[in-house]
Amino acid sequence: MAPPVRRVVLGSVVVGVLAMVAASLLLRLWSAPLAVPFDYDGDAAFYLMEVQGLHDHGSYLTNPNLGYPFGQDTRDLPQGADNLNWLALRLLSVFGGPGTTMNLFYLLSFGVIAGMAFAVLRVMRIRPLIAAVASLLYAFVPYHLLRRGGHLLLVSYGFIPLAVLFALSILSDDPPLTTGSARTRFRLGRRGLLVLAGCAAIGSLGAYYAVFSVLLFVVAGAVAAIARRSWRPVWSAAILTATVGVVLVANIAPSILHRLRQGANPETIVRFPSETEIYGLRIQQLFAPRFGHRNGTLSRWADQAYSGPVTSELGQTLGVLAAAGVLVLLGVVLVGLAGDRRRAWWDGAAGRTLRHAGVLALAVILFATISGFAYFLSVAGMRDIRAWNRSVVVIGFLGLLALAVLAERWAEWAEARRGRRWTRRVSVVVAAGALLVGWYDQTSPVDRRGDVRAAWESDRAMFGQMADTLAPDTPVFQFPVVEFPEVPPVGGTQGYDPARAYLHAPSLRWSFGSVRGRHPDWPADLDERDGPALVEFLRDAGFRAVVVDRFGYPDRAADLEARLDQAAIREGASADGRYVWYVL
């Protein structure tokens, strides 16, 4: 019997709150003011920039305060697939600046993931204690803890459990949104509306997770159609896939229209099929310890697993419990291929769930792993989806689902033989042990905000001084010249580091951020000109101030500053010595 909706919702909220409390302890939120983000370099600076623009201008697509004199227009970067995430960030921005917004979003992601996983497991009739343990473990997979602000939108994978639930429904005897046996008919109803709403959400929470969900639907529909010799699973999968696809296209419509009107921009970001080999799933890392493990020996093992001639993204590790569940699923698939399938458990609820989940896990691994089938999708044109290692969140949930199903089956057996009271006592002990093992294995203390606090406060002081000194909308040129987006470091200046200035002085207009390929580039020898000629060029272009990032030069910009001192007025420098600024 399905649990009451009220209990499922209440349980999801409780589990979500527990996850956020645990995350607050792990992340040591007291280590720095909430305005200081967990990450400040690399891609984190890009997302901080987007969040600031979202707050200032209500859009992540255009920003008149960046890319002076043209303004920033990021419609060449199709980010609309994350529109629900952008909406959440816009709402959270009322509580503070970009650092506060990013921290709150990351903290809330733990609650959403745990709550959604709990709701799905309860709908699958897993008892609350088991569902809570599996959900909390899922919210703290290494993938989630190692992404943080660097891949801010990827931490929002809470709807993956719902996609798994829909795929398992397609594999069941009653695929959603369809009815009939000899002749398949469309059926909506309350359940159908909820499924369509879930698919619409999946299509608005990131292109990667939408593609992974569609893969689950397609595999489930094909396997069920062959096994049952029926078109009904195919139609069910097609409806779910089409819903996700239509919503996804609607979300990225501004980018599509921009390309149709302005033409393609081949200079912005170029992807190649070979990148699936770089960012594909590595089975070795899937079952290795997490990077930075608490145990020294396991940490060294992880270093070896993540080392090699071709590096990839961190966070591909499942954790020992989810890995055990995945091995169970793969074992069930092998038994299904070569073993005796006449036993009663095989056709029971637990056996069917394990078989179906095993098929889904195997399919994802075959597509996502290096040199897997995803390569052919990239060759066919789907090159923006290159980091298939991120499907670890799908595999991880399937593994934890397998353990939850086995635990539920054991609890039913124990209640029938030893009684409910004994079973509850043992279940509590085992659940506590599983949480402790998972916490030790999957997590590691994080104090990133303490690490970045000094740089954040130094930047805030200097750029804040600029904002107080200069009139609003004053154009400021930034050295070194760093193209946008996705470029290698210029000296010690990373690709999105120039965005830091805008975070602390959003009232000014900054030279950084104009999309490469849409507007003329600045002269390549600009920072090599003598002082008067350099200042004259910048003034003619409309700039009234200059910022120099000393990290971008081998000599820490000593030569450039000497030339600027000849024709501009030095106003100040950052406390950490990284930045210096001039009035022209």
Side-chain angles (χ1 to χ4, degrees):
M1 183 177 179
V5 175
R6 290 183 179 179
R7 290 187 180 181
V8 173
V9 173
L10 178 60
S12 298
V13 172
V14 171
V15 171
V17 171
L18 288 175
M20 287 189 289
V21 171
S24 300
L25 297 174
L26 181 67
L27 300 172
R28 300 177 180 178
L29 285 184
W30 58 87
S31 65
L34 190 61
V36 178
F38 288 109
D39 300 277
Y40 191 35
D41 53 7
D43 288 355
F46 170 83
Y47 287 111
L48 287 165
M49 174 193 74
E50 292 286 67
V51 170
Q52 182 67 54
L54 193 65
H55 177 268
D56 293 342
H57 307 290
S59 173
Y60 57 87
L61 294 173
T62 58
N63 191 329
N65 288 85
L66 290 169
Y68 180 86
F70 311 106
Q72 185 184 77
D73 187 336
T74 60
R75 284 178 292 179
D76 282 325
L77 315 176
Q79 303 178 79
D82 284 279
N83 271 340
L84 278 183
N85 289 325
W86 291 122
L87 175 61
L89 287 165
R90 179 64 183 91
L91 295 175
L92 291 173
S93 69
V94 302
F95 295 103
T100 300
T101 302
M102 178 180 285
N103 291 339
L104 291 176
F105 182 83
Y106 185 48
L107 181 62
L108 285 172
S109 70
F110 288 91
V112 173
I113 292 166
M116 286 296 299
F118 179 85
V120 167
L121 293 173
R122 291 292 289 130
V123 169
M124 298 181 68
R125 302 180 184 181
I126 304 295
R127 62 191 61 203
L129 180 62
I130 298 173
V133 171
S135 301
L136 290 171
L137 291 174
Y138 185 58
F140 287 87
V141 293
Y143 175 96
H144 194 189
L145 298 171
L146 291 171
R147 297 288 174 173
R148 293 194 308 270
H151 284 155
L152 181 65
L153 302 183
L154 289 176
V155 305
S156 180
Y157 60 88
F159 275 70
I160 287 296
L162 194 65
V164 171
L165 177 64
F166 292 166
L168 293 175
S169 298
I170 295 172
L171 284 162
S172 71
D173 295 330
D174 186 23
L177 295 165
T178 60
T179 185
S181 54
R183 183 179 179 182
T184 303
R185 296 181 179 178
F186 177 74
R187 177 182 62 186
L188 190 57
R190 180 181 177 184
R191 178 196 178 198
L193 287 172
L194 292 175
V195 170
L196 291 178
C199 288
I202 291 171
S204 304
L205 288 167
Y208 272 97
Y209 301 143
V211 170
F212 298 158
S213 300
V214 166
L215 174 62
L216 293 175
F217 301 158
V218 172
V219 169
V223 170
I226 294 172
R228 294 186 174 85
R229 298 180 182 180
S230 169
W231 286 101
R232 185 180 174 188
V234 174
W235 286 114
S236 180
I239 296 171
L240 270 62
T241 298
T243 303
V244 173
V246 168
V247 173
L248 182 65
V249 170
N251 280 320
I252 63 174
S255 293
I256 296 174
L257 294 175
H258 179 69
R259 173 170 293 192
L260 292 175
R261 292 169 180 169
Q262 304 295 330
N265 183 2
E267 296 184 37
T268 304
I269 298 177
V270 181
R271 305 288 191 215
F272 300 97
S274 59
E275 293 183 54
T276 59
E277 301 293 288
I278 300 174
Y279 299 106
L281 186 71
R282 286 165 166 77
I283 294 179
Q284 174 197 20
Q285 295 172 8
L286 200 64
F287 293 96
R290 65 154 284 162
F291 188 81
H293 199 282
R294 296 172 184 267
N295 181 277
T297 300
L298 294 179
S299 180
R300 288 190 292 273
W301 183 11
D303 290 341
Q304 295 175 0
Y306 279 90
S307 63
V310 180
T311 59
S312 183
E313 296 179 325
L314 299 177
Q316 298 187 43
T317 304
L318 289 169
V320 64
L321 295 176
V326 171
L327 291 177
V328 168
L329 294 178
L330 297 180
V332 169
V333 173
L334 292 177
V335 171
L337 293 174
D340 184 1
R341 293 176 291 178
R342 293 174 294 179
R343 297 183 180 182
W345 73 270
W346 187 260
D347 288 325
R352 286 197 304 271
T353 300
L354 292 177
R355 281 189 289 125
H356 296 165
V359 169
L360 296 177
L362 180 60
V364 173
I365 291 174
L366 290 176
F367 267 87
T369 194
I370 292 175
S371 299
F373 293 118
Y375 174 81
F376 299 103
L377 295 179
S378 183
V379 171
M382 200 170 70
R383 297 180 183 179
D384 286 333
I385 306 299
R386 55 172 183 160
W388 282 82
N389 68 82
R390 298 169 184 177
S391 64
V392 67
V393 294
V394 181
I395 301 169
F397 181 75
L398 289 168
L400 292 171
L401 171 62
L403 294 187
V405 169
L406 291 176
E408 177 66 28
R409 186 69 187 90
W410 172 86
E412 293 173 355
W413 175 87
E415 284 183 349
R417 286 160 177 76
R418 302 296 298 269
R420 181 170 296 181
R421 180 176 297 179
W422 182 90
T423 302
R424 286 181 176 176
R425 291 176 180 175
V426 174
S427 297
V428 169
V429 173
V430 173
L435 284 176
L436 288 175
V437 169
W439 185 266
Y440 179 81
D441 179 61
Q442 296 177 194
T443 70
S444 183
V446 178
D447 194 14
R448 284 288 297 170
R449 294 168 67 243
D451 296 340
V452 305
R453 181 176 183 177
W456 177 270
E457 293 183 347
S458 175
D459 293 354
R460 181 182 63 179
M462 196 204 81
F463 293 118
Q465 178 197 12
M466 293 184 66
D468 292 338
T469 303
L470 302 173
D473 293 324
T474 298
V476 182
F477 195 86
Q478 296 166 272
F479 284 115
V481 176
V482 180
E483 294 183 341
F484 176 86
E486 289 195 13
V487 294
V490 178
T493 301
Q494 298 187 48
Y496 297 119
D497 281 357
R500 293 182 175 190
Y502 168 65
L503 304 179
H504 303 286
S507 63
L508 305 179
R509 302 186 69 180
W510 302 92
S511 61
F512 172 75
S514 181
V515 173
R516 181 176 60 253
R518 288 299 182 190
H519 304 288
D521 296 329
W522 298 107
D525 66 339
L526 185 59
D527 57 358
E528 299 175 3
R529 301 182 183 186
D530 63 71
L534 175 58
V535 170
E536 181 182 3
F537 177 89
L538 293 176
R539 285 190 61 85
D540 289 344
F543 294 99
R544 294 297 177 264
V546 167
V547 167
V548 178
D549 181 356
R550 291 165 170 163
F551 282 14
Y553 298 89
D555 64 348
R556 288 296 189 261
D559 179 64
L560 175 61
E561 289 180 39
R563 285 182 278 118
L564 283 172
D565 286 335
Q566 299 173 4
I569 302 173
R570 184 189 293 253
E571 288 287 341
S574 60
D576 61 5
R578 176 169 183 175
Y579 297 100
V580 62
W581 72 284
Y582 296 82
V583 170
L584 302 182

